[in-house]
Amino acid sequence: KWLKPDQSKQAIEYHKTYSDDADTSYSSASKTQKKEYVNEHINVSEGMERIGILPLYIKTLRNFSNTITDRLPVIKETFPNDIDTFVVEVHGLKGVAAMVSANDFAAFSFKLEQMGKANDISGIEELLPRYYDAMAEVKAAADDAINHLS
């Protein structure tokens, strides 16, 4: 509908090429990797199933690792004085953690997000040291997965 007739053939060709490459990449490399590599903090098998192809999963893991690095100082600076920004930051971490299947960390982020929305400052203060530790652990796990899968 949106492509001119001469462009639609190119789009179909591109899609076919991309799909063929993706299928090859996923079937040869990632299925083997899924069986051999186990990560304590990230369900790599589930994450690769969600993303679909190994190179894109690795790129998403890198994004996750970088996001943790970028968000940690913002979280430390905004809590407790700017709870709205704190909520936005942990919400963002929750989303990218869920994409790579860092499920425990995503759940922890969700809990802090809900506590922030409820303005439970004392509850957040109690959990933040463990959250900072969890951030370091899951970042190390993401970096390990990147090194292993690359």
Side-chain angles (χ1 to χ4, degrees):
K1 176 180 175 179
W2 300 104
L3 297 174
K4 296 177 187 172
D6 60 327
Q7 291 177 325
S8 63
K9 186 175 190 294
Q10 289 173 325
I12 291 168
E13 292 294 323
Y14 173 79
H15 178 71
K16 181 178 179 344
T17 301
Y18 181 77
S19 296
D20 291 346
D21 289 346
D23 291 343
T24 301
S25 173
Y26 181 72
S27 63
S28 63
S30 62
K31 285 186 180 177
T32 304
Q33 295 291 349
K34 286 194 299 186
K35 292 177 185 171
E36 295 174 8
Y37 180 69
V38 176
N39 187 300
E40 180 181 355
H41 298 286
I42 300 172
N43 186 333
V44 173
S45 175
E46 180 183 288
M48 285 198 302
E49 288 290 330
R50 176 177 292 114
I51 301 294
I53 59 173
L54 184 58
L56 185 56
Y57 183 65
I58 292 170
K59 184 177 180 178
T60 307
L61 281 169
R62 280 193 183 102
N63 179 47
F64 177 54
S65 179
N66 293 336
T67 299
I68 290 172
T69 301
D70 295 343
R71 298 297 183 235
L72 178 60
V74 177
I75 289 170
K76 287 182 175 183
E77 290 170 12
T78 59
F79 183 80
N81 299 324
D82 185 355
I83 197 69
D84 292 335
T85 300
F86 173 84
V87 168
V88 168
E89 295 301 321
V90 295
H91 172 80
L93 282 170
K94 175 192 71 176
V96 72
M99 282 298 294
V100 299
S101 294
N103 299 323
D104 291 342
F105 185 74
F108 199 169
S109 298
F110 178 72
K111 181 174 183 156
L112 287 176
E113 176 187 0
Q114 295 305 306
M115 293 171 80
K117 287 179 179 179
N119 210 28
D120 183 1
I121 303 300
S122 62
I124 295 170
E125 282 176 336
E126 185 178 319
L127 293 178
L128 269 182
R130 285 191 2 227
Y131 190 67
Y132 295 148
D133 290 343
M135 287 176 84
E137 290 170 2
V138 78
K139 180 183 179 351
D143 292 341
D144 183 63
I146 292 164
N147 290 333
H148 183 82
L149 298 171
S150 295

